[in-house]
Amino acid sequence: AQSVTQPDIHITVSEGASLELRCNYSYGATPYLFWYVQSPGQGLQLLLKYFSGDTLVQGIKGFEAEFKRSQSSFNLRKPSVHWSDAAEYFCAVGALAQKLVFGQGTRLTINP
Amino acid sequence: EAGVAQSPRYKIIEKRQSVAFWCNPISGHATLYWYQQILGQGPKLLIQFQNNGVVDDSQLPKDRFSAERLKGVDSTLKIQPAKLEDSAVYLCASREHTGGQSYNEQFFGPGTRLTVL
């Protein structure tokens, strides 16, 4: 069965610092991978997705993620975070019948 | 383009009471999902509709939860009777349906936060 693990429950970084959020997945076939962001009281917004091709994918708000098949990972990165990036981030794998399986999320706090 | 609409945004009920949530997907989206998001966890799929038919309800607690999408557009999710552990955010999402191997984005509504006392 497919699953997603986000090892870091909570991460704090300073504004302007770089960011990497970790995601590991388990899926028997070629995965469809996603990163979503959820601000307080809001629904989930898609940051980026990987289906095939180039393993480095660019998303909105300056985020990027790299798919590494050998490590079963799809880590999210941003070179310089802004205070508005404070939110909950979810990694997800697309399973059969286009069902999403989510990780438990990583809460990002930004120090001024 | 209007997004996925959900109501109410917040609901507080006593245990053993019933509650219903409503979702209006993006126009033209044939696929509709209901997710349950418990505090500190990622969303978990409860039920998936394709038009007015159920595609997957394997994780829906059918003894107390029910959902319908009678005309293939709006959907309601009901809990009767509610338990304390049902306290969560209930998210609705919709997606265009296409055939083949394409994988379309799911668009999420703002959710309904349910508190069961």
Side-chain angles (χ1 to χ4, degrees), chain A residues 20-89:
Chain A
E20 182 168 27
L21 302 183
R22 297 183 291 165
C23 172
N24 294 98
Y25 68 90
S26 173
Y27 189 55
T30 300
Y32 298 101
L33 295 163
F34 306 81
W35 275 99
Y36 282 84
V37 61
Q38 186 178 36
S39 298
Q42 304 295 314
L44 279 77
Q45 181 184 22
L46 181 66
L47 285 176
L48 47 78
K49 59 190 176 187
Y50 171 78
F51 288 174
S52 64
D54 193 348
T55 56
L56 184 64
V57 294
Q58 303 296 321
I60 62 172
K61 303 184 180 185
F63 286 92
E64 66 179 25
E66 185 171 14
F67 170 60
K68 293 185 177 180
R69 184 185 299 276
S70 61
Q71 297 177 22
S72 298
S73 69
F74 188 56
N75 294 349
L76 182 72
R77 301 194 294 248
K78 187 170 185 178
S80 176
V81 297
H82 186 263
W83 63 267
S84 60
D85 293 325
E88 190 96 21
Y89 291 81

Side-chain angles (χ1 to χ4, degrees), chain B residues 25 29-33 48-51 69 93-97:
Chain B
H29 283 193
T31 306
L32 185 147
Y33 307 81
Q48 177 184 350
F49 291 95
Q50 182 71 32
N51 296 308
R69 195 183 183 201
S94 70
R95 176 183 65 79
E96 282 187 280
H97 174 67

Side-chain angles (χ1 to χ4, degrees), chain A residues 32 38 41 51 94 98-99, chain B residues 9 37 45 95 101-103:
Chain A
Y32 298 101
Q38 186 178 36
F51 288 174
Q98 305 212 7
K99 181 175 71 175
Chain B
R9 293 295 309 277
Q37 185 178 16
L45 180 69
R95 176 183 65 79
Q101 297 301 310
S102 63
Y103 206 111

Side-chain angles (χ1 to χ4, degrees), chain B residues 23-42:
Chain B
C23 172
N24 186 16
I26 293 173
S27 177
H29 283 193
T31 306
L32 185 147
Y33 307 81
W34 282 102
Y35 290 87
Q36 180 192 56
Q37 185 178 16
I38 293 173
L39 186 65
Q41 299 181 20

